[in-house]
Amino acid sequence: MKRGRLLSLSSVTAALCLACTPVTTEGPEPGEGDTLDLERMIRQHRYAPYQPAEIFHDGAVMRRPPEGTVPNDRVTGDPGLTRGVTGAAGGAYVTRVPVPVTIELLRYGQGRYEIFCAACHGIAGDGESEVARNMTQRRPPSLVDPRVQAFPPGRVYQVIVEGYGLMRSYEANIPLRERWAIVAYVKALGRSRAAALDALPPPLRERARKELP
Ligand code: HEC
């Protein structure tokens, strides 16, 4: 029984190897020459793009994406929500956070901000951080100063998705809802720095009078 299984396994392996008769060979055979050949992954039997290949029914090595495949960069859904701008091909930045801004969203945004942004922009958003102090080129700016606070929410969202100058994109790391939570929190950080005492609701105003110097 065991022997039979082994036999059939080896005949399957043999059939597979026949199917993958290499077309492109560049450089020495694998295992030949220098044992420390770090390019060996590149120089091995392989198909080049657009080459004919007998192993597929249509004779082409490059495969068609399955029916219904969506390109990675296609704007799907409401562009205001997914890209922070009013049109699929660009347009004006959205001027409101397009998800309901609740205290839960802000708390969530705070957590995400502190994980993803604070290392550079500072825990209070003021651009004071170890990374900022050590950046010799352009420093991560304060996110609570009037210049950045004047950005419409869609602009801050776009910086998270696309990156900006020296700052890389966080699109792959931060999903849509988390991005908007961070945007809302960045706006809240700005407000928290510049709120007039009279703008606070009465109980908070009282507390602020007592507790703030
Ligand atoms: C590794 C450091 C780093 C992290 C982490 C980081 N940033 Fe930045 N950010 C920068 C730097 C540096 C710049 C300035 C880039 C430049 O001017 O070339 C910048 C610029 C910005 C700007 C201003 C863009 C403008 O138009 O002036 C915004 C807004 C911003 N970041 C938001 C965020 C948010 C939100 C996060 C978290 C999701 C974040 N950043 C995470 C380094 C960082």
Side-chain angles (χ1 to χ4, degrees), residues 116-117 120-121 138 140-141 147 151 155 164-167 170:
F116 286 109
C117 321
C120 294
H121 291 284
R138 282 191 299 283
R147 183 186 72 90
F151 289 171
R155 169 82 196 273
Y164 176 81
L166 295 179
M167 180 183 145
Y170 283 84

Side-chain angles (χ1 to χ4, degrees), residues 122-144:
I123 205 93
D126 54 5
E128 283 304 322
S129 71
E130 198 56 34
V131 174
R133 276 187 289 278
N134 284 286
M135 270 188 87
T136 47
Q137 256 177 312
R138 282 191 299 283
R139 283 176 56 137
S142 161
L143 302 183
V144 293

Side-chain angles (χ1 to χ4, degrees), residues 26 183-184 207:
E26 285 167 21
V183 172
R207 214 180 118 193

Side-chain angles (χ1 to χ4, degrees), residues 97 99 105-118 121 143 149 153 156-157 160 167 170 173-189:
V97 173
V99 298
L105 187 85
L106 288 174
R107 289 210 177 99
Y108 188 55
Q110 175 175 23
R112 297 286 106 182
Y113 174 88
E114 288 174 1
I115 290 169
F116 286 109
C117 321
H121 291 284
L143 302 183
Q149 281 297 316
V156 180
Y157 182 90
I160 299 175
M167 180 183 145
Y170 283 84
N173 311 88
I174 309 179
L176 186 143
R177 197 184 129 76
E178 297 183 18
R179 295 174 204 149
W180 284 117
I182 292 174
V183 172
Y185 182 68
V186 167
K187 288 285 168 194
L189 272 179

Side-chain angles (χ1 to χ4, degrees), residues 47-68:
Y47 287 104
Y50 298 103
Q51 235 174 7
E54 280 145 25
I55 57 170
F56 295 117
H57 291 305
D58 63 1
V61 69
M62 288 170 74
R63 311 312 303 143
R64 279 185 185 285
E67 198 67 39

